[in-house]
Amino acid sequence: MNNDMIKTNCMINQNIILTGDRPTGSLHLGHYVGSLKSRVALQHSCKQFILIADMQALTDNFERPKFIKNNILQLMAAYMSVELNPDKNIFVLQSAIPELAELTIHYMNLVHLGRLQRNPTVKHEIEQKSLENSLSIGFLCYPISQAADITAFKANLVPVGQDQVPMIEQTNEIVRKFNRLYYTNCLKECKPYLSDVSRLMGINGAEKAGKSTNNAIFLNESSKSLKEKVFSMYTDSNHIKISDPGQVEGNVVFAYLDAFYNNIEHLNELKQHYKKGGLGDVYLKKLLFDTLENFIAPVRDKYNQYSNDELLDILRTGTEIARKVAKNTLSEIRQALCLTNFKF
Ligand code: ATP
Ligand code: MG
């Protein structure tokens, strides 16, 4: 099913979306093209839960809980600044819904240790964060807690970046196993909703821009710092003189132009010119800076429009609605697990 078909289906079936972010830093352009843009497009036609995964963030940040807490309202401000409408979305704070933790515990019985260790994203993150010798059970289990988040709200569509696709597979395995073992159909399978840029590379050429990896352009980046970041981007190390033929694939500047520059015809001409030789990096970086500044300037302005009290209020209202839904799901799960037979 392509994205347009999903959008049409959403309108007909009122599909349910669960998506979210870890409060581990400011949101960046990778989040925008990988997930936020889809959420903005889908908010009018689907029931959309947007989860701030503070418990998940603690799995690899347990030594700095204040840092996680301080990023929660930052995330809310970012949501408002990209026009996620508080009347059209349900914003949820993960730690305020204890039902999610209980669901996670029930699902843990259904997942083998080896399956978690083979998860390609977890494997990559363990390597990237050098957790090999200090791997906590909590971190290893975060795909299970993500399954709890998705299934608690009966979501069938999850807008995510490429790195999260293995989590959807893990979720569906749990759903199938749970329904089969306990003769129920209370859990629903889900599909990832991938945008056209499902992985934006880091400004240092790393395969993914990440907020914890210090290689991203933030949605509220100042104009000065945006310029510094764009002009320090890797291009092609063999493109030394303007007349040298250059490489487009793997070139960070072209990757960002692909994601944000709307004049496709002009971009194709630039790529041909660059490959042939005769087009300088400075010209391209100026074009990219102007393109990104045009996109970021209005977002930056909206960042500080809401007070902390207003943001907290929006989050509280959404979390109350979400908790009721999660409570219902948990009671179905408890029933399937025969945990409700005795009345205390
Ligand atoms: P952390 O480094 O703390 O894990 P992160 O930058 O990976 O932070 P998350 O909060 O884990 O951000 O991810 C939120 C959503 O944004 C996920 O759906 C993820 O797939 C997507 N996403 C994150 N980085 C990118 C990127 N560079 N390109 C496309 N999508 C991305
Ligand atoms: Mg991540």
Side-chain angles (χ1 to χ4, degrees):
M1 206 170 4
N2 67 30
N3 285 0
D4 282 342
M5 282 169 74
I6 288 176
K7 260 185 229 168
T8 315
N9 266 6
C10 268
M11 282 180 241
I12 299 165
N13 299 332
Q14 257 290 317
N15 286 3
I16 301 174
I17 291 181
L18 182 281
T19 175
D21 308 276
R22 295 157 32 103
T24 49
S26 303
L27 292 187
H28 55 69
L29 297 180
H31 296 118
Y32 185 77
V33 289
S35 182
L36 293 171
K37 196 173 160 190
S38 308
R39 301 179 204 175
V40 172
L42 293 170
Q43 64 182 335
H44 304 288
S45 50
C46 300
K47 184 171 190 177
Q48 185 156 254
F49 293 89
I50 300 182
L51 182 96
I52 299 188
D54 55 344
M55 302 257 288
Q56 191 198 115
L58 280 173
T59 61
D60 56 333
N61 290 280
F62 54 88
E63 285 162 324
R64 43 180 191 162
K66 282 206 180 105
F67 167 76
I68 300 301
K69 180 179 173 247
N70 291 341
N71 275 304
I72 292 171
L73 292 186
Q74 281 292 318
L75 262 187
M76 286 298 294
Y79 293 153
M80 299 303 121
S81 73
V82 295
E83 313 261 343
L84 281 167
N85 186 332
D87 297 327
K88 301 226 176 268
N89 295 283
I90 301 164
F91 295 96
V92 189
L93 184 63
Q94 189 185 32
S95 62
I97 308 204
E99 288 74 15
L100 296 176
E102 183 176 333
L103 273 181
T104 305
I105 290 186
H106 297 313
Y107 294 166
M108 277 178 171
N109 298 330
L110 308 185
V111 183
H112 295 165
L113 178 61
R115 175 66 180 89
L116 292 173
Q117 287 166 329
R118 278 197 308 277
N119 181 310
T121 304
V122 174
K123 253 165 106 170
H124 178 74
E125 286 173 340
I126 290 172
E127 213 179 281
Q128 189 190 44
K129 298 174 189 195
S130 308
L131 296 174
E132 291 89 347
N133 298 320
S134 59
L135 181 61
S136 73
I137 304 293
F139 184 77
L140 193 64
C141 290
Y142 92 72
I144 305 182
S145 99
Q146 245 171 270
D149 301 336
I150 295 168
T151 55
F153 305 109
K154 308 265 165 114
N156 56 346
L157 214 52
V158 190
V160 281
Q162 189 68 43
D163 63 308
Q164 293 301 307
V165 173
M167 310 310 166
I168 312 289
E169 284 164 16
Q170 177 73 82
T171 301
N172 286 335
E173 282 174 31
I174 293 174
V175 166
R176 286 193 289 268
K177 194 164 178 181
F178 190 94
N179 286 348
R180 192 181 69 241
L181 272 174
Y182 305 114
Y183 305 103
T184 171
N185 60 3
C186 68
L187 295 182
K188 304 282 173 254
E189 288 195 43
C190 60
K191 286 193 176 74
Y193 181 95
L194 288 174
S195 78
D196 41 0
V197 188
S198 59
R199 184 190 290 140
L200 187 69
M201 62 163 66
I203 54 172
N204 58 353
E207 63 172 358
K208 175 178 168 287
K211 52 174 127 68
S212 309
T213 41
N214 201 20
N215 61 355
I217 293 174
F218 296 104
L219 289 173
N220 59 346
E221 197 80 60
S222 73
S223 190
K224 180 171 174 280
S225 145
L226 175 65
K227 192 171 258 171
E228 280 162 15
K229 286 189 175 178
V230 168
F231 278 83
S232 71
M233 275 179 175
Y234 289 19
T235 51
D236 170 7
S237 51
N238 294 321
H239 185 247
I240 298 161
K241 294 197 289 306
I242 290 184
S243 55
D244 289 337
Q247 199 166 323
V248 167
E249 292 74 29
N251 185 316
V252 182
V253 176
F254 277 109
Y256 278 70
L257 283 172
D258 273 334
F260 288 94
Y261 188 55
N262 291 331
N263 188 340
I264 312 281
E265 216 174 298
H266 185 219
L267 184 55
N268 285 337
E269 281 166 22
L270 291 173
K271 285 180 181 173
Q272 292 315 320
H273 193 172
Y274 194 76
K275 281 187 199 166
K276 249 190 357 220
L279 182 59
D281 286 346
V282 172
Y283 174 87
L284 288 173
K285 286 182 173 179
K286 272 190 185 143
L287 176 67
L288 179 60
F289 170 72
D290 289 343
T291 307
L292 293 182
E293 176 62 14
N294 272 341
F295 171 75
I296 289 179
V299 177
R300 197 194 289 135
D301 288 346
K302 279 183 225 125
Y303 230 90
N304 300 319
Q305 256 177 20
Y306 284 78
S307 69
N308 278 353
D309 283 347
E310 284 171 308
L311 295 172
L312 205 55
D313 230 37
I314 296 168
L315 186 56
R316 194 178 293 117
T317 307
T319 304
E320 271 167 22
I321 298 170
R323 185 152 189 211
K324 288 193 187 119
V325 181
K327 268 188 175 159
N328 279 341
T329 305
L330 181 62
S331 100
E332 289 176 302
I333 297 287
R334 288 184 133 246
Q335 209 159 349
L337 292 173
C338 304
L339 292 170
T340 52
N341 291 354
F342 303 110
K343 296 272 173 274
F344 289 107

